[in-house]
């Protein structure tokens, strides 16, 4: 009995620990990106310098360039949020309609109707879709966040410093997305499986359990398909 409990604990630890590590590591990388300022010096010094430069004709173009960068960043961020809000309204409608239909499609078995399997599969589908939507939002926001800071790094001198810092910013932004989304997906699927174990006799119904869990991947993939269109 103790050996079985230890084996279960180790199995759970091997799933949860990497997922938590991925999310924590992604947050650490995000905090590194936050240290890249969109102002050349401190915010107060930069604004004071811009005011002085704006008073001189020769400095107007340089003064405007950083203001434009921040304005473009804010506009792109607002546009991305508006796009995702409109898209995810459609995605939610798709998840509800397709999920209801899935209950009946999957519940039909050779021996008749098994609505437990149909309902659990549809719920997995819905959870997978929501997880994919959350992941998509995180990915979009960190991409926009990183782009502005990567551009800021590329304005540095000398060129070797600009290349190094802009590459590191881009790499860290991509890593935030990858580690956060992988960790989130793994955690959600693990807890979903823990919930479903109580609904099945795993010794004889393991196949049914995994078939219900498969809805999670279908929901995630379906929403990801919307994000690529």
């Amino acid at each position: 009995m103790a050996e079985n409990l230890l084996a279960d604990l180790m199995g759970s630890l091997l799933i949860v620990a990497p997922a938590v590590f991925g999310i924590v590591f992604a947050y650490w990388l995000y905090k590194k990106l936050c240290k890249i300022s969109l102002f050349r010096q401190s915010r107060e010094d930069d604004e004071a310098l811009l005011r002085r430069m704006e008073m001189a004709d020769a400095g107007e173009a340089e003064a405007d360039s950083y203001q434009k960068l921040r304005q473009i960043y804010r506009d792109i961020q607002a546009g991305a949020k508006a796009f995702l809000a409109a898209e995810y309204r459609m995605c939610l409608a798709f998840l509800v309609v397709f999920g209801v239909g899935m209950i009946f499609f999957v519940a039909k078995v050779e021996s008749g109707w098994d609505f437990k399997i149909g309902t659990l599969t549809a719920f997995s589908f819905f959870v997978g879709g929501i997880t994919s939507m959350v992941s998509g939002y995180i990915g979009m926001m960190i991409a926009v966040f990183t782009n502005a800071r990567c551009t800021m790094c590329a304005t540095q001198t000398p060129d070797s410093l600009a290349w190094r810092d802009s590459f590191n910013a881009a790499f860290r932004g991509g890593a935030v997305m990858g580690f956060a989304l992988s960790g989130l997906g793994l955690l959600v699927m693990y807890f979903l499986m823990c919930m479903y174990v109580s609904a099945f006799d795993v010794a004889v119904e393991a196949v049914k359990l995994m078939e219900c869990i498969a809805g999670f991947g279908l929901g995630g993939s379906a929403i990801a398909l919307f994000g690529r269109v």
Side-chain angles (χ1 to χ4, degrees), residues 28-45:
W28 179 77
L29 290 175
Y30 168 73
K31 297 302 289 184
K32 296 276 284 185
L33 287 172
C34 289
K35 295 180 180 179
I36 302 174
S37 175
L38 296 184
F39 294 82
R40 288 170 297 177
Q41 305 170 51
S42 69
R43 180 183 294 265
E44 294 76 12
D45 292 342

Side-chain angles (χ1 to χ4, degrees), residues 80-199:
K81 289 180 179 179
F83 165 75
L84 290 177
E87 181 182 44
Y88 284 174
R89 284 194 292 269
M90 297 176 58
C91 290
L92 279 174
F94 168 79
L95 289 176
V96 171
V97 173
F98 198 84
V100 171
M102 182 178 292
I103 294 176
F104 296 95
F105 292 141
V106 177
K108 181 61 176 176
V109 294
E110 294 181 359
S111 58
W113 295 88
D114 190 340
F115 282 102
K116 181 177 77 171
I117 292 178
T119 302
L120 293 179
T121 303
F123 181 73
S124 295
F125 172 79
F126 187 78
V127 171
I130 295 297
T131 303
S132 185
M133 290 166 65
V134 173
S135 299
Y137 182 84
I138 294 173
M140 180 72 84
M141 291 300 102
I142 194 62
V144 175
F145 183 85
T146 303
N147 282 345
R149 281 147 183 84
C150 184
T151 303
M152 199 67 184
C153 290
T155 64
Q156 299 178 105
T157 53
D159 289 345
S160 58
L161 180 63
W163 277 103
R164 187 197 68 187
D165 288 355
S166 58
F167 173 82
N168 286 339
F171 191 85
R172 286 167 180 160
V176 169
M177 188 187 311
F179 278 99
L181 307 194
S182 298
L184 178 64
L186 189 58
L187 274 182
V188 173
M189 187 173 68
Y190 170 76
F191 287 116
L192 189 65
M193 292 184 70
C194 289
M195 290 171 53
Y196 280 17
V197 164
S198 61

Side-chain angles (χ1 to χ4, degrees), residues 70-88:
R70 292 189 290 271
Q71 185 59 50
I72 290 171
Y73 164 62
R74 288 191 292 266
D75 291 343
I76 293 175
Q77 188 179 54
K81 289 180 179 179
F83 165 75
L84 290 177
E87 181 182 44
Y88 284 174

Side-chain angles (χ1 to χ4, degrees), residues 8-25:
D8 291 342
L9 179 61
M10 290 300 298
S12 298
L13 188 62
L14 287 173
I15 296 172
V16 174
V20 172
F21 171 79
I23 293 174
V24 172
F25 185 62

